Amino acid sequence: MGSCQLKLGNLSLAKKHYETSLSLQTDTPKIEKIKLKLAQMRGISSAVKQAKTGLALFKEEKFEQAKTHFSSAVSLAEESKLCPDLLGAYYYNLSSCHNRLDDPVDAIKACEASLEIRRAHCGEEHPRTISSKNKLAALQESVGLEKRFEFHNAK
């Protein structure tokens, strides 16, 4: 149940199910797997907190500070190896920070990472993937690079 809740993005319910499983388990290898999942969950929870702070700072146009928080969210999400959809979103937001700070090279790198993750996790025609494609095309166009993607509309 914990893994199902995690896939649905219900972090608190997933944690509750993993903790319940841990209390009922007697098989040592399974206990170690559950402990690992709980540690990963703590990393994702920390990443979510960093991203929420980053969003608030971005809205206040404190882009340098927001960039720091999104960078931290990316690192924590990568370490946890859970929730690739969140990782894709964090890279997307990090790209926005770099763009607002007039750093097109890092904006493009972060957007490419977001696109790669979203393609693998959501599929080529998913609205989030299309959003990353459109952002990347706009960033490339803004610096005079040949666009690798044309703008798309989500279906």
Side-chain angles (χ1 to χ4, degrees), residues 50-102:
Q50 289 292 322
K52 284 182 180 180
T53 303
L55 281 172
L57 291 166
F58 190 89
K59 288 177 184 176
E60 294 173 13
E61 298 187 9
K62 296 178 179 177
F63 305 119
E64 190 65 46
Q65 291 170 309
K67 180 183 83 168
T68 300
H69 285 277
F70 283 121
S71 294
S72 179
V74 163
S75 295
L76 290 164
E78 284 178 337
E79 287 172 17
S80 76
K81 297 180 174 67
L82 297 174
C83 300
D85 197 40
L86 288 178
L87 181 59
Y90 300 158
Y91 270 116
Y92 186 89
N93 292 335
L94 182 59
S95 174
S96 296
C97 291
H98 285 297
N99 188 42
R100 296 298 293 265
L101 292 166
D102 292 324

Side-chain angles (χ1 to χ4, degrees), residues 1-21 34 37-38 41 82-83:
M1 284 297 285
S3 60
C4 293
Q5 292 298 331
L6 187 60
K7 287 179 183 176
L8 292 171
N10 299 329
L11 299 178
S12 61
L13 281 175
K15 182 180 177 203
K16 179 180 174 184
H17 285 290
Y18 283 125
E19 287 171 343
T20 301
S21 295
I34 294 169
K37 283 286 187 191
L38 285 169
M41 293 285 302
L82 297 174
C83 300

